[in-house]
PDB file of all heavy atoms in Angstrom:
ATOM      1  N   GLY A  77     -28.914 -20.719 -72.182  1.00  0.00           N
ATOM      2  CA  GLY A  77     -30.416 -20.422 -72.164  1.00  0.00           C
ATOM      3  C   GLY A  77     -30.786 -19.611 -70.986  1.00  0.00           C
ATOM      4  O   GLY A  77     -31.444 -18.519 -71.246  1.00  0.00           O
ATOM      5  N   PRO A  78     -30.539 -20.011 -69.824  1.00  0.00           N
ATOM      6  CA  PRO A  78     -31.014 -19.194 -68.630  1.00  0.00           C
ATOM      7  C   PRO A  78     -30.532 -17.645 -68.621  1.00  0.00           C
ATOM      8  O   PRO A  78     -31.187 -16.798 -68.156  1.00  0.00           O
ATOM      9  CB  PRO A  78     -30.536 -19.895 -67.485  1.00  0.00           C
ATOM     10  CG  PRO A  78     -30.341 -21.360 -67.923  1.00  0.00           C
ATOM     11  CD  PRO A  78     -29.927 -21.203 -69.349  1.00  0.00           C
ATOM     12  N   CYS A  79     -29.418 -17.456 -69.292  1.00  0.00           N
ATOM     13  CA  CYS A  79     -28.847 -16.134 -69.355  1.00  0.00           C
ATOM     14  C   CYS A  79     -29.804 -15.191 -70.111  1.00  0.00           C
ATOM     15  O   CYS A  79     -29.877 -14.109 -69.827  1.00  0.00           O
ATOM     16  CB  CYS A  79     -27.453 -16.171 -69.913  1.00  0.00           C
ATOM     17  SG  CYS A  79     -26.227 -17.027 -68.973  1.00  0.00           S
ATOM     18  N   HIS A  80     -30.450 -15.836 -71.089  1.00  0.00           N
ATOM     19  CA  HIS A  80     -31.388 -14.954 -71.897  1.00  0.00           C
ATOM     20  C   HIS A  80     -32.594 -14.621 -71.066  1.00  0.00           C
ATOM     21  O   HIS A  80     -33.116 -13.476 -71.261  1.00  0.00           O
ATOM     22  CB  HIS A  80     -31.913 -15.807 -73.165  1.00  0.00           C
ATOM     23  CG  HIS A  80     -30.821 -15.966 -74.218  1.00  0.00           C
ATOM     24  ND1 HIS A  80     -30.844 -15.171 -75.309  1.00  0.00           N
ATOM     25  CD2 HIS A  80     -29.712 -16.745 -74.341  1.00  0.00           C
ATOM     26  CE1 HIS A  80     -29.727 -15.562 -76.036  1.00  0.00           C
ATOM     27  NE2 HIS A  80     -29.024 -16.499 -75.396  1.00  0.00           N
ATOM     28  N   ILE A  81     -32.994 -15.543 -70.195  1.00  0.00           N
ATOM     29  CA  ILE A  81     -34.119 -15.214 -69.296  1.00  0.00           C
ATOM     30  C   ILE A  81     -33.714 -14.185 -68.316  1.00  0.00           C
ATOM     31  O   ILE A  81     -34.535 -13.262 -67.994  1.00  0.00           O
ATOM     32  CB  ILE A  81     -34.546 -16.617 -68.562  1.00  0.00           C
ATOM     33  CG1 ILE A  81     -35.032 -17.546 -69.607  1.00  0.00           C
ATOM     34  CG2 ILE A  81     -35.653 -16.216 -67.542  1.00  0.00           C
ATOM     35  CD1 ILE A  81     -35.201 -18.996 -69.080  1.00  0.00           C
ATOM     36  N   GLU A  82     -32.477 -14.285 -67.767  1.00  0.00           N
ATOM     37  CA  GLU A  82     -31.964 -13.390 -66.805  1.00  0.00           C
ATOM     38  C   GLU A  82     -31.803 -11.906 -67.368  1.00  0.00           C
ATOM     39  O   GLU A  82     -32.016 -10.953 -66.573  1.00  0.00           O
ATOM     40  CB  GLU A  82     -30.721 -13.871 -66.234  1.00  0.00           C
ATOM     41  CG  GLU A  82     -30.063 -13.095 -65.106  1.00  0.00           C
ATOM     42  CD  GLU A  82     -28.787 -13.637 -64.647  1.00  0.00           C
ATOM     43  OE1 GLU A  82     -27.750 -13.588 -65.347  1.00  0.00           O
ATOM     44  OE2 GLU A  82     -28.772 -14.284 -63.578  1.00  0.00           O
ATOM     45  N   HIS A  83     -31.314 -11.842 -68.538  1.00  0.00           N
ATOM     46  CA  HIS A  83     -30.914 -10.556 -69.195  1.00  0.00           C
ATOM     47  C   HIS A  83     -31.918  -9.399 -68.869  1.00  0.00           C
ATOM     48  O   HIS A  83     -31.555  -8.243 -68.475  1.00  0.00           O
ATOM     49  CB  HIS A  83     -30.664 -10.761 -70.612  1.00  0.00           C
ATOM     50  CG  HIS A  83     -30.018  -9.577 -71.208  1.00  0.00           C
ATOM     51  ND1 HIS A  83     -30.786  -8.566 -71.920  1.00  0.00           N
ATOM     52  CD2 HIS A  83     -28.785  -9.071 -71.319  1.00  0.00           C
ATOM     53  CE1 HIS A  83     -29.933  -7.577 -72.226  1.00  0.00           C
ATOM     54  NE2 HIS A  83     -28.828  -7.841 -71.922  1.00  0.00           N
ATOM     55  N   PRO A  84     -33.252  -9.543 -69.230  1.00  0.00           N
ATOM     56  CA  PRO A  84     -34.150  -8.387 -68.994  1.00  0.00           C
ATOM     57  C   PRO A  84     -34.141  -7.856 -67.515  1.00  0.00           C
ATOM     58  O   PRO A  84     -34.323  -6.694 -67.239  1.00  0.00           O
ATOM     59  CB  PRO A  84     -35.529  -8.919 -69.355  1.00  0.00           C
ATOM     60  CG  PRO A  84     -35.357 -10.243 -69.954  1.00  0.00           C
ATOM     61  CD  PRO A  84     -33.859 -10.700 -69.796  1.00  0.00           C
ATOM     62  N   TYR A  85     -34.057  -8.839 -66.604  1.00  0.00           N
ATOM     63  CA  TYR A  85     -33.949  -8.430 -65.166  1.00  0.00           C
ATOM     64  C   TYR A  85     -32.719  -7.668 -64.805  1.00  0.00           C
ATOM     65  O   TYR A  85     -32.703  -6.753 -64.038  1.00  0.00           O
ATOM     66  CB  TYR A  85     -34.089  -9.709 -64.214  1.00  0.00           C
ATOM     67  CG  TYR A  85     -35.401 -10.367 -64.438  1.00  0.00           C
ATOM     68  CD1 TYR A  85     -35.561 -11.488 -65.196  1.00  0.00           C
ATOM     69  CD2 TYR A  85     -36.538  -9.817 -63.794  1.00  0.00           C
ATOM     70  CE1 TYR A  85     -36.808 -12.035 -65.382  1.00  0.00           C
ATOM     71  CE2 TYR A  85     -37.777 -10.453 -63.940  1.00  0.00           C
ATOM     72  CZ  TYR A  85     -37.945 -11.560 -64.747  1.00  0.00           C
ATOM     73  OH  TYR A  85     -39.090 -12.180 -64.888  1.00  0.00           O
ATOM     74  N   LEU A  86     -31.565  -8.109 -65.389  1.00  0.00           N
ATOM     75  CA  LEU A  86     -30.395  -7.336 -65.184  1.00  0.00           C
ATOM     76  C   LEU A  86     -30.496  -5.879 -65.809  1.00  0.00           C
ATOM     77  O   LEU A  86     -30.028  -4.952 -65.169  1.00  0.00           O
ATOM     78  CB  LEU A  86     -29.236  -8.030 -65.906  1.00  0.00           C
ATOM     79  CG  LEU A  86     -28.741  -9.447 -65.246  1.00  0.00           C
ATOM     80  CD1 LEU A  86     -27.578  -9.902 -66.075  1.00  0.00           C
ATOM     81  CD2 LEU A  86     -28.432  -9.218 -63.843  1.00  0.00           C
ATOM     82  N   MET A  87     -31.131  -5.776 -66.930  1.00  0.00           N
ATOM     83  CA  MET A  87     -31.422  -4.491 -67.580  1.00  0.00           C
ATOM     84  C   MET A  87     -32.150  -3.616 -66.610  1.00  0.00           C
ATOM     85  O   MET A  87     -31.857  -2.425 -66.263  1.00  0.00           O
ATOM     86  CB  MET A  87     -32.179  -4.561 -68.823  1.00  0.00           C
ATOM     87  CG  MET A  87     -31.412  -5.269 -70.051  1.00  0.00           C
ATOM     88  SD  MET A  87     -29.937  -4.315 -70.527  1.00  0.00           S
ATOM     89  CE  MET A  87     -30.676  -2.950 -71.260  1.00  0.00           C
ATOM     90  N   LYS A  88     -33.269  -4.228 -66.020  1.00  0.00           N
ATOM     91  CA  LYS A  88     -34.191  -3.543 -65.156  1.00  0.00           C
ATOM     92  C   LYS A  88     -33.360  -3.045 -63.887  1.00  0.00           C
ATOM     93  O   LYS A  88     -33.426  -1.864 -63.501  1.00  0.00           O
ATOM     94  CB  LYS A  88     -35.315  -4.422 -64.804  1.00  0.00           C
ATOM     95  CG  LYS A  88     -36.282  -3.746 -63.812  1.00  0.00           C
ATOM     96  CD  LYS A  88     -37.530  -4.551 -63.717  1.00  0.00           C
ATOM     97  CE  LYS A  88     -37.728  -5.391 -62.548  1.00  0.00           C
ATOM     98  NZ  LYS A  88     -38.967  -6.221 -62.474  1.00  0.00           N
ATOM     99  N   TYR A  89     -32.691  -4.032 -63.290  1.00  0.00           N
ATOM    100  CA  TYR A  89     -32.049  -3.688 -61.993  1.00  0.00           C
ATOM    101  C   TYR A  89     -30.861  -2.803 -62.123  1.00  0.00           C
ATOM    102  O   TYR A  89     -30.488  -2.052 -61.215  1.00  0.00           O
ATOM    103  CB  TYR A  89     -31.815  -4.961 -61.132  1.00  0.00           C
ATOM    104  CG  TYR A  89     -33.051  -5.615 -60.755  1.00  0.00           C
ATOM    105  CD1 TYR A  89     -33.243  -6.997 -61.061  1.00  0.00           C
ATOM    106  CD2 TYR A  89     -33.955  -4.909 -59.953  1.00  0.00           C
ATOM    107  CE1 TYR A  89     -34.455  -7.574 -60.737  1.00  0.00           C
ATOM    108  CE2 TYR A  89     -35.203  -5.624 -59.647  1.00  0.00           C
ATOM    109  CZ  TYR A  89     -35.455  -6.870 -59.943  1.00  0.00           C
ATOM    110  OH  TYR A  89     -36.568  -7.437 -59.570  1.00  0.00           O
ATOM    111  N   SER A  90     -30.253  -2.846 -63.216  1.00  0.00           N
ATOM    112  CA  SER A  90     -29.064  -1.927 -63.435  1.00  0.00           C
ATOM    113  C   SER A  90     -29.523  -0.560 -63.547  1.00  0.00           C
ATOM    114  O   SER A  90     -28.802   0.395 -63.237  1.00  0.00           O
ATOM    115  CB  SER A  90     -28.281  -2.411 -64.714  1.00  0.00           C
ATOM    116  OG  SER A  90     -29.061  -2.172 -65.896  1.00  0.00           O
ATOM    117  N   LYS A  91     -30.811  -0.361 -63.990  1.00  0.00           N
ATOM    118  CA  LYS A  91     -31.364   1.073 -64.096  1.00  0.00           C
ATOM    119  C   LYS A  91     -31.956   1.406 -62.740  1.00  0.00           C
ATOM    120  O   LYS A  91     -31.901   2.547 -62.289  1.00  0.00           O
ATOM    121  CB  LYS A  91     -32.480   1.106 -65.143  1.00  0.00           C
ATOM    122  CG  LYS A  91     -31.806   1.088 -66.588  1.00  0.00           C
ATOM    123  CD  LYS A  91     -32.910   1.260 -67.637  1.00  0.00           C
ATOM    124  CE  LYS A  91     -32.398   0.908 -68.997  1.00  0.00           C
ATOM    125  NZ  LYS A  91     -33.242  -0.089 -69.597  1.00  0.00           N
ATOM    126  N   GLN A  92     -32.540   0.446 -62.060  1.00  0.00           N
ATOM    127  CA  GLN A  92     -33.320   0.821 -60.805  1.00  0.00           C
ATOM    128  C   GLN A  92     -32.343   1.010 -59.577  1.00  0.00           C
ATOM    129  O   GLN A  92     -32.779   1.801 -58.644  1.00  0.00           O
ATOM    130  CB  GLN A  92     -34.287  -0.400 -60.491  1.00  0.00           C
ATOM    131  CG  GLN A  92     -35.590  -0.137 -61.077  1.00  0.00           C
ATOM    132  CD  GLN A  92     -36.603  -1.201 -60.533  1.00  0.00           C
ATOM    133  OE1 GLN A  92     -36.263  -1.959 -59.712  1.00  0.00           O
ATOM    134  NE2 GLN A  92     -37.723  -1.177 -61.111  1.00  0.00           N
ATOM    135  N   TYR A  93     -31.226   0.381 -59.595  1.00  0.00           N
ATOM    136  CA  TYR A  93     -30.396   0.446 -58.416  1.00  0.00           C
ATOM    137  C   TYR A  93     -29.036   0.958 -58.898  1.00  0.00           C
ATOM    138  O   TYR A  93     -28.567   0.789 -59.992  1.00  0.00           O
ATOM    139  CB  TYR A  93     -30.222  -0.873 -57.730  1.00  0.00           C
ATOM    140  CG  TYR A  93     -31.481  -1.419 -57.064  1.00  0.00           C
ATOM    141  CD1 TYR A  93     -32.420  -2.118 -57.901  1.00  0.00           C
ATOM    142  CD2 TYR A  93     -31.713  -1.101 -55.784  1.00  0.00           C
ATOM    143  CE1 TYR A  93     -33.605  -2.484 -57.280  1.00  0.00           C
ATOM    144  CE2 TYR A  93     -32.972  -1.443 -55.187  1.00  0.00           C
ATOM    145  CZ  TYR A  93     -33.878  -2.219 -55.942  1.00  0.00           C
ATOM    146  OH  TYR A  93     -35.073  -2.613 -55.368  1.00  0.00           O
ATOM    147  N   SER A  94     -28.369   1.610 -57.949  1.00  0.00           N
ATOM    148  CA  SER A  94     -27.063   2.228 -58.346  1.00  0.00           C
ATOM    149  C   SER A  94     -25.867   1.244 -58.021  1.00  0.00           C
ATOM    150  O   SER A  94     -24.820   1.601 -57.768  1.00  0.00           O
ATOM    151  CB  SER A  94     -26.820   3.524 -57.434  1.00  0.00           C
ATOM    152  OG  SER A  94     -26.926   3.139 -56.057  1.00  0.00           O
ATOM    153  N   VAL A  95     -26.212  -0.051 -58.169  1.00  0.00           N
ATOM    154  CA  VAL A  95     -25.127  -1.020 -57.958  1.00  0.00           C
ATOM    155  C   VAL A  95     -24.561  -1.455 -59.334  1.00  0.00           C
ATOM    156  O   VAL A  95     -25.333  -2.035 -60.195  1.00  0.00           O
ATOM    157  CB  VAL A  95     -25.662  -2.356 -57.250  1.00  0.00           C
ATOM    158  CG1 VAL A  95     -24.608  -3.397 -57.124  1.00  0.00           C
ATOM    159  CG2 VAL A  95     -26.320  -1.867 -55.902  1.00  0.00           C
ATOM    160  N   PRO A  96     -23.197  -1.162 -59.572  1.00  0.00           N
ATOM    161  CA  PRO A  96     -22.680  -1.584 -60.905  1.00  0.00           C
ATOM    162  C   PRO A  96     -22.747  -3.039 -61.063  1.00  0.00           C
ATOM    163  O   PRO A  96     -22.554  -3.854 -60.107  1.00  0.00           O
ATOM    164  CB  PRO A  96     -21.260  -1.044 -60.884  1.00  0.00           C
ATOM    165  CG  PRO A  96     -21.116  -0.264 -59.553  1.00  0.00           C
ATOM    166  CD  PRO A  96     -22.281  -0.699 -58.710  1.00  0.00           C
ATOM    167  N   ILE A  97     -22.931  -3.492 -62.313  1.00  0.00           N
ATOM    168  CA  ILE A  97     -22.862  -4.924 -62.701  1.00  0.00           C
ATOM    169  C   ILE A  97     -21.737  -5.154 -63.723  1.00  0.00           C
ATOM    170  O   ILE A  97     -21.708  -4.440 -64.720  1.00  0.00           O
ATOM    171  CB  ILE A  97     -24.233  -5.406 -63.330  1.00  0.00           C
ATOM    172  CG1 ILE A  97     -25.376  -5.100 -62.317  1.00  0.00           C
ATOM    173  CG2 ILE A  97     -24.136  -6.979 -63.525  1.00  0.00           C
ATOM    174  CD1 ILE A  97     -26.763  -5.500 -62.894  1.00  0.00           C
ATOM    175  N   VAL A  98     -20.769  -5.938 -63.273  1.00  0.00           N
ATOM    176  CA  VAL A  98     -19.688  -6.266 -64.169  1.00  0.00           C
ATOM    177  C   VAL A  98     -19.967  -7.607 -64.798  1.00  0.00           C
ATOM    178  O   VAL A  98     -20.277  -8.564 -64.122  1.00  0.00           O
ATOM    179  CB  VAL A  98     -18.292  -6.359 -63.400  1.00  0.00           C
ATOM    180  CG1 VAL A  98     -17.206  -6.801 -64.278  1.00  0.00           C
ATOM    181  CG2 VAL A  98     -17.979  -4.885 -62.804  1.00  0.00           C
ATOM    182  N   GLY A  99     -19.856  -7.636 -66.165  1.00  0.00           N
ATOM    183  CA  GLY A  99     -20.126  -8.912 -66.815  1.00  0.00           C
ATOM    184  C   GLY A  99     -18.883  -9.715 -67.131  1.00  0.00           C
ATOM    185  O   GLY A  99     -17.829  -9.106 -67.396  1.00  0.00           O
ATOM    186  N   VAL A 100     -18.983 -11.002 -66.978  1.00  0.00           N
ATOM    187  CA  VAL A 100     -17.913 -11.854 -67.443  1.00  0.00           C
ATOM    188  C   VAL A 100     -18.547 -12.726 -68.557  1.00  0.00           C
ATOM    189  O   VAL A 100     -19.398 -13.614 -68.278  1.00  0.00           O
ATOM    190  CB  VAL A 100     -17.405 -12.784 -66.323  1.00  0.00           C
ATOM    191  CG1 VAL A 100     -16.308 -13.677 -66.822  1.00  0.00           C
ATOM    192  CG2 VAL A 100     -16.799 -11.844 -65.217  1.00  0.00           C
ATOM    193  N   ASN A 101     -18.068 -12.415 -69.796  1.00  0.00           N
ATOM    194  CA  ASN A 101     -18.583 -13.202 -70.952  1.00  0.00           C
ATOM    195  C   ASN A 101     -17.685 -14.497 -70.992  1.00  0.00           C
ATOM    196  O   ASN A 101     -16.588 -14.563 -71.306  1.00  0.00           O
ATOM    197  CB  ASN A 101     -18.390 -12.402 -72.210  1.00  0.00           C
ATOM    198  CG  ASN A 101     -18.999 -13.095 -73.435  1.00  0.00           C
ATOM    199  OD1 ASN A 101     -18.508 -12.947 -74.557  1.00  0.00           O
ATOM    200  ND2 ASN A 101     -20.122 -13.856 -73.148  1.00  0.00           N
TER     201      ASN A 101
END
Side-chain angles (χ1 to χ4, degrees):
Chain A
C79 299
H80 288 260
I81 299 168
E82 181 179 72
H83 187 266
Y85 294 98
L86 293 181
M87 291 299 289
K88 176 165 106 181
Y89 292 123
S90 66
K91 286 183 194 126
Q92 269 189 4
Y93 292 88
S94 58
V95 178
I97 307 176
V98 173
V100 177
N101 187 212

